[in-house]
Amino acid sequence: SQTIHQWPATLVQPVGSPLSLECTVEGTSNPNLYWYRQAAGRGLQLLFYSVGIGQISSEVPQNLSASRPQDRQFILSSKKLLLSDSGFYLCAWSVRGRMTWNTEAFFGQGTRLTVV
Amino acid sequence: GNSVTQMEGPVTLSEEAFLTINCTYTATGYPSLFWYVQYPGEGLQLLLKATKADDKGSNKGFEATYRKETTSFHLEKGSVQVSDSAVYFCALSSSGGYNKLIFGAGTRLAVHP
């Protein structure tokens, strides 16, 4: 069966420090991968998605970047964190392809990031 | 652009009460519609989905019907339990869009004994 791992679960970082959140998927190949953020009091917003190794699409301009160095690994990074980067970050995967809008997305447990 | 509007919470109910959480959407084409649930301290998990007009998704006593004429996908449950306390998100995925999800703001449900 497929599983998705996301770590760490919680993180407190000072303003201006770097960030690296990692997500890995097991039990499937060539998934679409996603990073979402849930800011306090707000809904979920798609930050990045990837349809293949090295292929990253950004949905919103921001202080963050994403990379996909391996098929089932998705990394969210920042060189210098801002207070506004605080939130709950969720990694997700779905089956590969563009014509898959009727399929389920599977989410990790999330990382709660607090920038102080 | 595409969007999802969801009733604001929190919604507070007594056990065995009837639940309705309203959700309306704006989208071109023929999106798929989803309800996801987030239990405290956890990630999201799919509750139910509907992929075409007039489809009814159901799971764990929850139901929602894809109404294209009113662009709605309201979530209902006839008798809620304390264990249903969670945040509920309505979402859509556009056809041909790599399954990118657009979420509503979420509705927090608290059920008391």
Short mmCIF file of all heavy atoms in Angstrom, two decimals, chain A residues 32 34 36 38 42-46 49 51 59 88 90 94-95 97-110, chain B residues 30-32 34 36 38 41-46 49 51 87 89 93-106:
data_model
loop_
_atom_site.label_atom_id
_atom_site.label_comp_id
_atom_site.label_asym_id
_atom_site.label_seq_id
_atom_site.Cartn_x
_atom_site.Cartn_y
_atom_site.Cartn_z
N ASN A 32 2.14 12.53 -9.03
CA ASN A 32 2.12 13.99 -8.94
C ASN A 32 2.33 14.33 -7.46
O ASN A 32 1.76 13.67 -6.59
CB ASN A 32 0.77 14.55 -9.39
CG ASN A 32 0.55 14.43 -10.87
OD1 ASN A 32 1.45 14.12 -11.66
ND2 ASN A 32 -0.69 14.65 -11.30
N TYR A 34 2.64 17.52 -4.37
CA TYR A 34 2.12 18.86 -4.07
C TYR A 34 2.60 19.31 -2.69
O TYR A 34 2.75 18.50 -1.77
CB TYR A 34 0.58 18.85 -4.04
CG TYR A 34 -0.06 18.16 -5.21
CD1 TYR A 34 -0.28 16.80 -5.21
CD2 TYR A 34 -0.49 18.89 -6.33
CE1 TYR A 34 -0.88 16.15 -6.28
CE2 TYR A 34 -1.09 18.25 -7.41
CZ TYR A 34 -1.27 16.89 -7.38
OH TYR A 34 -1.87 16.27 -8.45
N TYR A 36 1.07 22.10 0.05
CA TYR A 36 0.02 23.04 0.42
C TYR A 36 0.40 23.71 1.73
O TYR A 36 1.13 23.14 2.54
CB TYR A 36 -1.31 22.31 0.62
CG TYR A 36 -1.96 21.79 -0.63
CD1 TYR A 36 -1.65 20.53 -1.14
CD2 TYR A 36 -2.92 22.55 -1.31
CE1 TYR A 36 -2.25 20.05 -2.28
CE2 TYR A 36 -3.53 22.07 -2.45
CZ TYR A 36 -3.19 20.82 -2.93
OH TYR A 36 -3.80 20.34 -4.06
N GLN A 38 -1.44 25.87 5.08
CA GLN A 38 -2.63 26.30 5.80
C GLN A 38 -2.19 27.34 6.79
O GLN A 38 -1.61 27.01 7.83
CB GLN A 38 -3.29 25.11 6.49
CG GLN A 38 -4.59 25.42 7.18
CD GLN A 38 -5.17 24.17 7.82
OE1 GLN A 38 -4.48 23.17 8.03
NE2 GLN A 38 -6.45 24.21 8.14
N ARG A 42 -6.99 30.44 7.97
CA ARG A 42 -7.26 30.44 6.54
C ARG A 42 -7.32 29.01 6.02
O ARG A 42 -6.96 28.07 6.70
CB ARG A 42 -6.17 31.22 5.81
CG ARG A 42 -6.04 32.67 6.28
CD ARG A 42 -4.97 33.40 5.53
NE ARG A 42 -5.29 33.52 4.10
CZ ARG A 42 -4.51 34.13 3.22
NH1 ARG A 42 -3.37 34.67 3.61
NH2 ARG A 42 -4.85 34.22 1.95
N GLY A 43 -7.79 28.88 4.81
CA GLY A 43 -7.87 27.57 4.20
C GLY A 43 -6.54 27.13 3.61
O GLY A 43 -5.52 27.78 3.77
N LEU A 44 -6.60 26.03 2.92
CA LEU A 44 -5.40 25.47 2.30
C LEU A 44 -5.12 26.13 0.96
O LEU A 44 -6.02 26.32 0.15
CB LEU A 44 -5.60 23.98 2.07
CG LEU A 44 -5.46 23.12 3.31
CD1 LEU A 44 -6.30 21.89 3.17
CD2 LEU A 44 -4.01 22.76 3.53
N GLN A 45 -3.86 26.41 0.73
CA GLN A 45 -3.45 27.03 -0.52
C GLN A 45 -2.35 26.20 -1.15
O GLN A 45 -1.37 25.84 -0.48
CB GLN A 45 -2.96 28.45 -0.26
CG GLN A 45 -2.58 29.20 -1.52
CD GLN A 45 -2.10 30.61 -1.22
OE1 GLN A 45 -1.41 30.85 -0.23
NE2 GLN A 45 -2.48 31.55 -2.07
N LEU A 46 -2.48 25.91 -2.42
CA LEU A 46 -1.46 25.18 -3.14
C LEU A 46 -0.25 26.08 -3.37
O LEU A 46 -0.39 27.18 -3.90
CB LEU A 46 -2.00 24.67 -4.47
CG LEU A 46 -1.01 23.91 -5.37
CD1 LEU A 46 -0.54 22.62 -4.69
CD2 LEU A 46 -1.65 23.60 -6.72
N TYR A 49 3.50 22.30 -7.26
CA TYR A 49 3.21 20.93 -7.66
C TYR A 49 4.28 20.48 -8.64
O TYR A 49 4.95 21.30 -9.29
CB TYR A 49 1.80 20.78 -8.21
CG TYR A 49 1.56 21.37 -9.58
CD1 TYR A 49 1.63 20.59 -10.73
CD2 TYR A 49 1.20 22.70 -9.72
CE1 TYR A 49 1.38 21.13 -11.97
CE2 TYR A 49 0.96 23.25 -10.96
CZ TYR A 49 1.04 22.46 -12.08
OH TYR A 49 0.80 23.00 -13.32
N VAL A 51 5.10 17.23 -11.57
CA VAL A 51 4.62 16.08 -12.34
C VAL A 51 5.76 15.15 -12.72
O VAL A 51 5.52 14.13 -13.38
CB VAL A 51 3.84 16.53 -13.58
CG1 VAL A 51 2.63 17.36 -13.16
CG2 VAL A 51 4.72 17.31 -14.54
N GLU A 59 2.61 28.03 -7.73
CA GLU A 59 1.26 28.58 -7.85
C GLU A 59 1.16 30.01 -7.35
O GLU A 59 0.30 30.76 -7.78
CB GLU A 59 0.27 27.70 -7.10
CG GLU A 59 0.05 26.36 -7.75
CD GLU A 59 -0.66 26.49 -9.09
OE1 GLU A 59 -1.83 26.91 -9.11
OE2 GLU A 59 -0.03 26.20 -10.12
N PHE A 88 0.88 25.67 8.64
CA PHE A 88 0.85 24.20 8.63
C PHE A 88 1.07 23.77 7.19
O PHE A 88 0.26 24.07 6.32
CB PHE A 88 -0.50 23.73 9.17
CG PHE A 88 -0.60 22.26 9.45
CD1 PHE A 88 0.33 21.62 10.26
CD2 PHE A 88 -1.63 21.52 8.92
CE1 PHE A 88 0.24 20.27 10.53
CE2 PHE A 88 -1.75 20.15 9.19
CZ PHE A 88 -0.81 19.53 10.00
N LEU A 90 1.52 20.95 4.28
CA LEU A 90 1.08 19.60 3.96
C LEU A 90 1.63 19.17 2.61
O LEU A 90 1.50 19.89 1.62
CB LEU A 90 -0.44 19.53 3.92
CG LEU A 90 -1.14 19.56 5.28
CD1 LEU A 90 -2.57 20.01 5.11
CD2 LEU A 90 -1.08 18.20 5.93
N SER A 94 -0.82 12.36 -5.76
CA SER A 94 -1.93 11.74 -6.47
C SER A 94 -1.35 10.98 -7.65
O SER A 94 -0.17 11.11 -7.97
CB SER A 94 -2.95 12.78 -6.94
OG SER A 94 -2.41 13.59 -7.96
N VAL A 95 -2.20 10.19 -8.27
CA VAL A 95 -1.69 9.39 -9.38
C VAL A 95 -1.20 10.29 -10.49
O VAL A 95 -1.67 11.41 -10.67
CB VAL A 95 -2.76 8.41 -9.91
CG1 VAL A 95 -3.10 7.40 -8.84
CG2 VAL A 95 -3.99 9.15 -10.38
N GLY A 97 -0.25 12.18 -13.88
CA GLY A 97 -0.92 12.60 -15.10
C GLY A 97 -1.73 13.86 -14.96
O GLY A 97 -2.01 14.34 -13.87
N ARG A 98 -2.09 14.38 -16.11
CA ARG A 98 -2.87 15.63 -16.17
C ARG A 98 -4.35 15.35 -16.09
O ARG A 98 -5.11 16.10 -15.51
CB ARG A 98 -2.54 16.35 -17.47
CG ARG A 98 -3.24 17.68 -17.62
CD ARG A 98 -2.62 18.47 -18.74
NE ARG A 98 -3.22 19.79 -18.86
CZ ARG A 98 -3.88 20.21 -19.91
NH1 ARG A 98 -4.04 19.45 -20.95
NH2 ARG A 98 -4.40 21.41 -19.93
N MET A 99 -4.77 14.22 -16.66
CA MET A 99 -6.20 13.92 -16.75
C MET A 99 -6.64 13.07 -15.58
O MET A 99 -7.24 12.02 -15.75
CB MET A 99 -6.48 13.23 -18.08
CG MET A 99 -5.91 13.96 -19.28
SD MET A 99 -6.52 15.66 -19.41
CE MET A 99 -8.13 15.38 -20.06
N THR A 100 -6.31 13.51 -14.39
CA THR A 100 -6.60 12.71 -13.19
C THR A 100 -7.37 13.54 -12.17
O THR A 100 -7.25 13.32 -10.98
CB THR A 100 -5.30 12.19 -12.56
OG1 THR A 100 -4.46 13.30 -12.26
CG2 THR A 100 -4.59 11.22 -13.48
N TRP A 101 -8.16 14.49 -12.63
CA TRP A 101 -8.79 15.41 -11.71
C TRP A 101 -9.90 14.76 -10.90
O TRP A 101 -10.40 15.37 -9.96
CB TRP A 101 -9.37 16.61 -12.47
CG TRP A 101 -10.52 16.27 -13.36
CD1 TRP A 101 -11.85 16.35 -13.06
CD2 TRP A 101 -10.46 15.76 -14.70
NE1 TRP A 101 -12.60 15.96 -14.12
CE2 TRP A 101 -11.79 15.58 -15.14
CE3 TRP A 101 -9.41 15.46 -15.57
CZ2 TRP A 101 -12.09 15.11 -16.41
CZ3 TRP A 101 -9.70 14.98 -16.83
CH2 TRP A 101 -11.03 14.81 -17.23
N ASN A 102 -10.29 13.56 -11.24
CA ASN A 102 -11.35 12.92 -10.47
C ASN A 102 -10.81 11.91 -9.47
O ASN A 102 -11.55 11.11 -8.93
CB ASN A 102 -12.34 12.23 -11.42
CG ASN A 102 -11.66 11.22 -12.32
OD1 ASN A 102 -10.44 11.11 -12.31
ND2 ASN A 102 -12.43 10.48 -13.07
N THR A 103 -9.50 11.93 -9.24
CA THR A 103 -8.90 10.99 -8.31
C THR A 103 -8.55 11.68 -7.00
O THR A 103 -8.43 12.90 -6.92
CB THR A 103 -7.65 10.35 -8.90
OG1 THR A 103 -6.70 11.38 -9.20
CG2 THR A 103 -7.98 9.59 -10.18
N GLU A 104 -8.34 10.87 -6.01
CA GLU A 104 -8.08 11.35 -4.66
C GLU A 104 -6.65 11.81 -4.51
O GLU A 104 -5.74 11.27 -5.12
CB GLU A 104 -8.37 10.21 -3.69
CG GLU A 104 -8.07 10.49 -2.24
CD GLU A 104 -8.35 9.27 -1.37
OE1 GLU A 104 -8.79 8.24 -1.92
OE2 GLU A 104 -8.12 9.35 -0.16
N ALA A 105 -6.42 12.82 -3.68
CA ALA A 105 -5.09 13.20 -3.24
C ALA A 105 -4.87 12.66 -1.84
O ALA A 105 -5.79 12.66 -1.01
CB ALA A 105 -4.92 14.72 -3.26
N PHE A 106 -3.66 12.20 -1.56
CA PHE A 106 -3.32 11.62 -0.27
C PHE A 106 -2.34 12.55 0.43
O PHE A 106 -1.32 12.93 -0.14
CB PHE A 106 -2.69 10.23 -0.46
CG PHE A 106 -3.61 9.26 -1.12
CD1 PHE A 106 -3.65 9.15 -2.50
CD2 PHE A 106 -4.44 8.45 -0.37
CE1 PHE A 106 -4.50 8.24 -3.13
CE2 PHE A 106 -5.30 7.54 -0.98
CZ PHE A 106 -5.33 7.44 -2.36
N PHE A 107 -2.66 12.87 1.66
CA PHE A 107 -1.90 13.88 2.38
C PHE A 107 -1.02 13.27 3.47
O PHE A 107 -1.38 12.27 4.09
CB PHE A 107 -2.85 14.89 3.02
CG PHE A 107 -3.49 15.84 2.04
CD1 PHE A 107 -4.59 15.44 1.31
CD2 PHE A 107 -2.97 17.10 1.84
CE1 PHE A 107 -5.17 16.30 0.38
CE2 PHE A 107 -3.54 17.97 0.92
CZ PHE A 107 -4.65 17.56 0.19
N GLY A 108 0.12 13.93 3.70
CA GLY A 108 0.95 13.59 4.84
C GLY A 108 0.37 14.17 6.12
O GLY A 108 -0.68 14.82 6.10
N GLN A 109 1.06 13.92 7.23
CA GLN A 109 0.58 14.36 8.53
C GLN A 109 0.81 15.84 8.77
O GLN A 109 0.25 16.42 9.70
CB GLN A 109 1.26 13.55 9.64
CG GLN A 109 0.92 12.08 9.61
CD GLN A 109 -0.55 11.83 9.89
OE1 GLN A 109 -1.04 12.13 10.97
NE2 GLN A 109 -1.27 11.29 8.92
N GLY A 110 1.63 16.46 7.96
CA GLY A 110 1.84 17.90 8.06
C GLY A 110 2.98 18.29 8.96
O GLY A 110 3.41 17.53 9.85
N TYR B 30 -15.87 20.91 -16.17
CA TYR B 30 -16.55 19.91 -15.35
C TYR B 30 -15.62 19.45 -14.23
O TYR B 30 -14.97 18.41 -14.33
CB TYR B 30 -16.96 18.73 -16.24
CG TYR B 30 -17.84 19.16 -17.38
CD1 TYR B 30 -17.30 19.47 -18.63
CD2 TYR B 30 -19.21 19.31 -17.20
CE1 TYR B 30 -18.10 19.89 -19.67
CE2 TYR B 30 -20.02 19.73 -18.25
CZ TYR B 30 -19.47 20.02 -19.47
OH TYR B 30 -20.26 20.44 -20.49
N PRO B 31 -15.58 20.21 -13.15
CA PRO B 31 -14.67 19.83 -12.06
C PRO B 31 -15.15 18.61 -11.30
O PRO B 31 -16.33 18.25 -11.37
CB PRO B 31 -14.70 21.07 -11.16
CG PRO B 31 -16.07 21.63 -11.37
CD PRO B 31 -16.37 21.40 -12.83
N SER B 32 -14.25 18.00 -10.58
CA SER B 32 -14.62 17.02 -9.56
C SER B 32 -14.67 17.73 -8.22
O SER B 32 -13.96 18.71 -7.99
CB SER B 32 -13.58 15.90 -9.50
OG SER B 32 -13.64 15.10 -10.66
N PHE B 34 -14.89 17.44 -3.86
CA PHE B 34 -14.43 16.60 -2.76
C PHE B 34 -14.78 17.25 -1.41
O PHE B 34 -14.87 18.46 -1.30
CB PHE B 34 -12.90 16.45 -2.79
CG PHE B 34 -12.34 15.93 -4.09
CD1 PHE B 34 -12.11 16.80 -5.15
CD2 PHE B 34 -12.03 14.59 -4.24
CE1 PHE B 34 -11.58 16.33 -6.35
CE2 PHE B 34 -11.50 14.11 -5.43
CZ PHE B 34 -11.27 14.98 -6.48
N TYR B 36 -12.88 16.87 2.25
CA TYR B 36 -11.79 16.32 3.04
C TYR B 36 -12.04 16.67 4.50
O TYR B 36 -12.63 17.71 4.82
CB TYR B 36 -10.45 16.90 2.61
CG TYR B 36 -9.89 16.29 1.35
CD1 TYR B 36 -10.29 16.75 0.09
CD2 TYR B 36 -8.96 15.25 1.40
CE1 TYR B 36 -9.79 16.19 -1.07
CE2 TYR B 36 -8.45 14.68 0.24
CZ TYR B 36 -8.87 15.15 -0.99
OH TYR B 36 -8.36 14.59 -2.13
N GLN B 38 -10.15 16.94 8.44
CA GLN B 38 -8.88 17.05 9.17
C GLN B 38 -9.19 16.90 10.65
O GLN B 38 -9.75 17.80 11.29
CB GLN B 38 -8.22 18.40 8.90
CG GLN B 38 -6.87 18.58 9.55
CD GLN B 38 -6.27 19.94 9.25
OE1 GLN B 38 -6.99 20.93 9.05
NE2 GLN B 38 -4.95 20.02 9.20
N GLY B 41 -4.69 17.60 14.92
CA GLY B 41 -3.29 17.20 14.87
C GLY B 41 -2.91 16.31 13.70
O GLY B 41 -1.79 15.79 13.66
N GLU B 42 -3.81 16.14 12.77
CA GLU B 42 -3.53 15.24 11.64
C GLU B 42 -3.60 15.95 10.30
O GLU B 42 -4.02 17.10 10.20
CB GLU B 42 -4.53 14.08 11.65
CG GLU B 42 -4.48 13.22 12.91
CD GLU B 42 -5.40 12.03 12.81
OE1 GLU B 42 -5.92 11.75 11.71
OE2 GLU B 42 -5.59 11.37 13.83
N GLY B 43 -3.17 15.25 9.27
CA GLY B 43 -3.32 15.76 7.92
C GLY B 43 -4.74 15.54 7.42
O GLY B 43 -5.62 15.15 8.18
N LEU B 44 -4.94 15.80 6.14
CA LEU B 44 -6.28 15.66 5.57
C LEU B 44 -6.50 14.25 5.05
O LEU B 44 -5.57 13.59 4.58
CB LEU B 44 -6.45 16.63 4.40
CG LEU B 44 -6.95 18.03 4.71
CD1 LEU B 44 -5.93 18.80 5.51
CD2 LEU B 44 -7.30 18.75 3.43
N GLN B 45 -7.74 13.84 5.10
CA GLN B 45 -8.11 12.58 4.47
C GLN B 45 -9.42 12.76 3.74
O GLN B 45 -10.28 13.54 4.16
CB GLN B 45 -8.19 11.44 5.50
CG GLN B 45 -9.13 11.67 6.64
CD GLN B 45 -9.03 10.56 7.67
OE1 GLN B 45 -9.70 9.55 7.57
NE2 GLN B 45 -8.18 10.75 8.67
N LEU B 46 -9.54 12.04 2.64
CA LEU B 46 -10.74 12.16 1.83
C LEU B 46 -11.94 11.61 2.58
O LEU B 46 -11.90 10.50 3.12
CB LEU B 46 -10.56 11.41 0.52
CG LEU B 46 -11.75 11.45 -0.43
CD1 LEU B 46 -11.94 12.86 -0.97
CD2 LEU B 46 -11.58 10.46 -1.57
N LYS B 49 -16.38 12.02 -2.44
CA LYS B 49 -16.18 12.77 -3.67
C LYS B 49 -17.32 12.52 -4.65
O LYS B 49 -18.06 11.54 -4.52
CB LYS B 49 -14.85 12.42 -4.32
CG LYS B 49 -14.82 11.03 -4.93
CD LYS B 49 -13.49 10.78 -5.66
CE LYS B 49 -13.50 9.44 -6.36
NZ LYS B 49 -12.20 9.16 -7.07
N THR B 51 -17.81 13.10 -9.06
CA THR B 51 -17.04 13.49 -10.24
C THR B 51 -17.89 14.00 -11.39
O THR B 51 -17.34 14.47 -12.39
CB THR B 51 -16.19 12.31 -10.73
OG1 THR B 51 -17.06 11.21 -11.03
CG2 THR B 51 -15.20 11.88 -9.67
N VAL B 87 -12.23 19.51 11.30
CA VAL B 87 -12.38 20.59 10.33
C VAL B 87 -12.68 19.96 8.97
O VAL B 87 -11.99 19.03 8.55
CB VAL B 87 -11.11 21.47 10.24
CG1 VAL B 87 -11.32 22.60 9.23
CG2 VAL B 87 -10.78 22.05 11.61
N PHE B 89 -13.22 20.40 4.85
CA PHE B 89 -12.84 21.23 3.71
C PHE B 89 -13.55 20.75 2.46
O PHE B 89 -13.49 19.57 2.10
CB PHE B 89 -11.34 21.15 3.46
CG PHE B 89 -10.49 21.79 4.52
CD1 PHE B 89 -10.01 21.04 5.58
CD2 PHE B 89 -10.16 23.13 4.44
CE1 PHE B 89 -9.22 21.62 6.55
CE2 PHE B 89 -9.37 23.72 5.42
CZ PHE B 89 -8.90 22.97 6.47
N SER B 93 -11.37 20.06 -8.13
CA SER B 93 -10.24 19.80 -9.00
C SER B 93 -10.72 19.99 -10.43
O SER B 93 -11.70 19.35 -10.84
CB SER B 93 -9.74 18.38 -8.79
OG SER B 93 -8.70 18.07 -9.67
N SER B 94 -10.07 20.87 -11.15
CA SER B 94 -10.51 21.18 -12.50
C SER B 94 -10.12 20.10 -13.48
O SER B 94 -9.06 19.49 -13.35
CB SER B 94 -9.90 22.50 -12.96
OG SER B 94 -10.31 23.56 -12.13
N SER B 95 -10.94 19.91 -14.47
CA SER B 95 -10.62 18.92 -15.50
C SER B 95 -9.36 19.34 -16.23
O SER B 95 -9.17 20.51 -16.58
CB SER B 95 -11.79 18.81 -16.48
OG SER B 95 -12.09 20.07 -17.05
N GLY B 96 -8.48 18.38 -16.43
CA GLY B 96 -7.24 18.63 -17.12
C GLY B 96 -6.23 19.43 -16.34
O GLY B 96 -5.31 20.02 -16.90
N GLY B 97 -6.37 19.47 -15.01
CA GLY B 97 -5.54 20.38 -14.22
C GLY B 97 -4.55 19.70 -13.30
O GLY B 97 -4.23 20.28 -12.26
N TYR B 98 -4.08 18.50 -13.62
CA TYR B 98 -3.08 17.80 -12.80
C TYR B 98 -3.55 17.56 -11.37
O TYR B 98 -2.75 17.45 -10.46
CB TYR B 98 -1.75 18.55 -12.77
CG TYR B 98 -1.06 18.61 -14.11
CD1 TYR B 98 -1.05 19.79 -14.85
CD2 TYR B 98 -0.42 17.49 -14.64
CE1 TYR B 98 -0.43 19.85 -16.08
CE2 TYR B 98 0.20 17.54 -15.88
CZ TYR B 98 0.20 18.73 -16.59
OH TYR B 98 0.81 18.79 -17.80
N ASN B 99 -4.86 17.51 -11.20
CA ASN B 99 -5.43 17.23 -9.87
C ASN B 99 -5.01 18.24 -8.82
O ASN B 99 -4.87 17.91 -7.64
CB ASN B 99 -5.09 15.81 -9.42
CG ASN B 99 -6.09 15.27 -8.44
OD1 ASN B 99 -7.17 15.82 -8.29
ND2 ASN B 99 -5.74 14.21 -7.75
N LYS B 100 -4.80 19.48 -9.22
CA LYS B 100 -4.54 20.53 -8.24
C LYS B 100 -5.85 20.87 -7.56
O LYS B 100 -6.85 21.13 -8.23
CB LYS B 100 -3.98 21.77 -8.94
CG LYS B 100 -2.63 21.55 -9.60
CD LYS B 100 -2.12 22.82 -10.26
CE LYS B 100 -2.94 23.18 -11.46
NZ LYS B 100 -2.44 24.42 -12.12
N LEU B 101 -5.83 20.89 -6.25
CA LEU B 101 -7.04 21.11 -5.49
C LEU B 101 -7.17 22.57 -5.08
O LEU B 101 -6.21 23.19 -4.63
CB LEU B 101 -7.05 20.23 -4.24
CG LEU B 101 -7.21 18.73 -4.49
CD1 LEU B 101 -6.86 17.95 -3.24
CD2 LEU B 101 -8.61 18.42 -4.96
N ILE B 102 -8.38 23.09 -5.23
CA ILE B 102 -8.73 24.41 -4.71
C ILE B 102 -9.66 24.19 -3.55
O ILE B 102 -10.73 23.57 -3.71
CB ILE B 102 -9.38 25.27 -5.79
CG1 ILE B 102 -8.37 25.52 -6.93
CG2 ILE B 102 -9.86 26.60 -5.21
CD1 ILE B 102 -8.96 26.19 -8.13
N PHE B 103 -9.27 24.69 -2.39
CA PHE B 103 -10.01 24.43 -1.16
C PHE B 103 -10.83 25.62 -0.72
O PHE B 103 -10.47 26.78 -0.95
CB PHE B 103 -9.04 24.10 -0.02
CG PHE B 103 -8.44 22.73 -0.10
CD1 PHE B 103 -7.24 22.51 -0.77
CD2 PHE B 103 -9.06 21.65 0.52
CE1 PHE B 103 -6.69 21.26 -0.83
CE2 PHE B 103 -8.50 20.38 0.46
CZ PHE B 103 -7.32 20.18 -0.21
N GLY B 104 -11.92 25.31 -0.02
CA GLY B 104 -12.59 26.33 0.74
C GLY B 104 -11.83 26.61 2.02
O GLY B 104 -10.81 25.96 2.31
N ALA B 105 -12.33 27.55 2.80
CA ALA B 105 -11.61 27.99 4.00
C ALA B 105 -11.67 26.98 5.14
O ALA B 105 -10.92 27.10 6.11
CB ALA B 105 -12.15 29.33 4.48
N GLY B 106 -12.55 26.00 5.03
CA GLY B 106 -12.69 25.01 6.10
C GLY B 106 -13.75 25.42 7.11
O GLY B 106 -13.94 26.60 7.39
#
